[in-house]
Amino acid sequence: MPDDTRAESEDWGLGLEEEAGAELQKDEGGEPEVESDGGFELPVFTTRRMVQTGIVVVILLVGIYFLFPKLVGLGDALGKLGDADPLWIGIAVLFSIASYATYIALFKAVVGGDALRLTWSETYEINMAGVAATLLFSAGGAGGVALTYWALRKAGMQRREVARRMVAFVGLHYAFYPLALIVFGLLLRTGVLSGNHSVELTIIPAAIAGVMLVVGVLVTLIPSDLEARLMPHAHGAHTRSFVEWAARVPETAGEGFRFALRLFTHPRQGGLAVIGAAGFWAFSIGVLWASFHSLGIHVPLAVVVQGFFLGMVANLFPLAPAGVGAVDAGMIGAFVLFGLPEETVFPAILIFRLISFWMPIPPGVVAFFQLRNTVRRWEEEGLPIERGGELRPAPAGSTLQKVK
């Protein structure tokens, strides 16, 4: 790769590596762990970190599932857990496994494959380790993002290419979120599908989702040479420095969203990615559907879908580790608004969260340690980026390069 291209790639990291280092490189005493080559290293799962996270999680779960039901007069709502049908619990577990399998397929199709020859086992380790990091390293998913960034950089991918691919991954992954709210919101409102069709649960979410889609489309219009277009209007060293810095995020976001849109609209090129994104949401909703059935609760499918996505909005709450407590409360509230009895909603959501969220944590911790060993093996035997591959055609004005 030419030196000027390498320099450009190193300069356009969007600050992710610094953020990853600040998030991940501190050990138990707060000091950074440093590799022999001077780079940052991932921490171990320290006792202090796990205890702190555990305390927060226990407080949230006890408050939502034990104290709140008693305060509102629901009695022993969780006593129904013992009545859950093992067959439906098994079906929910299978749905959960399928959801993570499709999530991994999405990651491999978008981030790896053409540019980074990750094996399926390496892809599994990165994604499942991210599941554990999301809970144990920070709230709001930042831990998982930082760990994924770290792994891809260790695999040899350039900074800006990592940022672009991750933007595309997230964009394609969440594209089905607003689409589902629009489709099922309209179908419920018009009576095509059975269920509560109140405006606040159907039309308003659909309208907000529509705005989200429009914003996403507008992002694809951001040119890759935004900095070059703005520089002639910048006067003075400070202004030019600010323009150079400020253009990074929108440029990379635009390239990432265009890449995601190209995958979405070209099945031959992005079929695995689209199937992975749609499959993740479909199987995750399947876990929730089976959780209701395990307690003998029959909820219209459209209500399950709409309630799922409305409840998941609470995942944006920044103070709860990985949405713990916030998502639980959001989903409970959504289904209560749809008219389901509170004493049946509480245990059903608890079963859903136990299977879809808590069950993958142990294999995620194992994958975390496997990934550390894999990175060491890369450093000794050669990086995945050196295995060959060719980047997909880039948008006009982009600087994607062929990887030898």
Side-chain angles (χ1 to χ4, degrees):
M1 184 180 291
D3 291 340
D4 57 342
T5 303
R6 182 184 298 111
E8 180 192 29
S9 297
E10 292 299 316
D11 287 339
W12 288 77
L14 300 181
L16 283 174
E17 184 159 306
E18 289 77 6
E19 293 177 13
E23 179 65 33
L24 295 175
Q25 75 185 68
K26 292 185 178 179
D27 63 14
E28 193 168 351
E31 297 297 326
E33 295 182 355
V34 180
E35 294 178 345
S36 58
D37 63 0
F40 66 86
E41 177 60 281
L42 290 174
V44 297
F45 285 109
T46 63
T47 301
R48 185 179 70 175
R49 183 184 296 277
M50 297 186 73
V51 169
Q52 289 174 340
T53 302
I55 291 174
V56 174
V57 168
V58 168
I59 291 174
L60 290 170
L61 294 181
V62 168
I64 291 173
Y65 289 105
F66 293 92
L67 298 180
F68 183 74
K70 294 184 180 299
L71 289 175
V72 298
L74 296 180
D76 188 18
L78 299 186
K80 293 181 177 290
L81 288 176
D83 301 329
D85 187 337
L87 175 61
W88 281 104
I89 294 295
I91 294 174
V93 170
L94 292 177
F95 276 137
S96 181
I97 294 173
S99 71
Y100 279 94
T102 51
Y103 184 83
I104 292 169
L106 167 64
F107 184 88
K108 183 172 176 60
V110 177
V111 179
D114 64 328
L116 189 62
R117 299 296 185 183
L118 294 172
T119 65
W120 281 103
S121 62
E122 292 167 346
T123 308
Y124 167 85
E125 290 171 7
I126 293 173
N127 283 271
M128 294 307 296
V131 170
T134 295
L135 175 64
L136 298 175
F137 288 148
S138 70
V145 171
L147 183 141
T148 302
Y149 179 86
W150 174 87
L152 294 176
R153 291 286 290 130
K154 287 294 185 181
M157 186 175 279
Q158 296 294 330
R159 292 182 183 179
R160 186 170 185 183
E161 186 59 23
V162 173
R164 180 189 294 111
R165 296 277 171 154
M166 291 180 68
V167 168
F169 171 75
V170 173
L172 185 57
H173 175 50
Y174 282 98
F176 289 91
Y177 198 121
L179 287 174
L181 285 174
I182 293 172
V183 171
F184 285 91
L186 293 177
L187 292 178
L188 280 170
R189 181 60 183 173
T190 56
V192 175
L193 296 178
S194 61
N196 189 324
H197 57 273
S198 60
V199 173
E200 61 270 18
L201 295 175
T202 57
I203 296 301
I204 293 179
I208 296 174
V211 172
M212 293 170 57
L213 284 179
V214 171
V215 171
V217 172
L218 292 177
V219 171
T220 66
L221 302 179
I222 299 175
S224 299
D225 59 346
L226 180 63
E227 178 191 348
R229 297 188 183 196
L230 294 178
M231 274 301 181
H233 306 285
H235 304 287
H238 292 293
T239 304
R240 294 177 65 86
S241 177
F242 173 78
V243 169
E244 180 181 0
W245 170 81
R248 296 178 184 179
V249 173
E251 281 188 352
T252 305
E255 292 177 2
F257 271 65
R258 282 192 293 275
F259 184 23
L261 182 61
R262 187 164 63 254
L263 292 174
F264 189 82
T265 55
H266 293 80
R268 179 174 297 182
Q269 183 184 29
L272 179 61
V274 174
I275 292 173
F280 171 79
W281 294 113
F283 288 122
S284 296
I285 292 169
V287 177
L288 181 57
W289 174 75
S291 299
F292 279 114
H293 275 274
S294 70
L295 298 172
I297 307 169
H298 300 282
V299 183
L301 179 59
V303 172
V304 175
V305 174
Q306 195 76 350
F308 173 89
F309 284 113
L310 290 177
M312 286 296 291
V313 173
N315 196 40
L316 298 174
F317 183 69
L319 301 181
V324 175
V327 172
D328 305 68
M331 285 196 170
I332 290 171
F335 284 107
V336 169
L337 289 175
F338 269 107
L340 274 66
E342 294 92 334
E343 62 272 13
T344 62
V345 171
F346 274 83
I349 299 303
L350 178 57
I351 291 173
F352 165 73
R353 291 289 280 171
L354 287 173
I355 294 173
S356 67
F357 182 78
W358 294 105
M359 188 182 73
I361 295 298
V365 173
V366 173
F368 176 86
F369 292 106
Q370 292 174 328
L371 180 60
R372 290 172 66 96
N373 293 330
T374 296
V375 169
R376 294 190 185 99
R377 176 169 53 80
W378 289 345
E379 294 170 346
E380 294 172 358
E381 302 176 3
L383 304 181
I385 199 71
E386 299 168 352
R387 297 170 185 169
E390 185 171 342
L391 295 177
R392 292 188 176 101
S398 182
T399 56
L400 290 176
Q401 302 287 329
K402 181 176 180 180
V403 180
K404 301 291 187 184

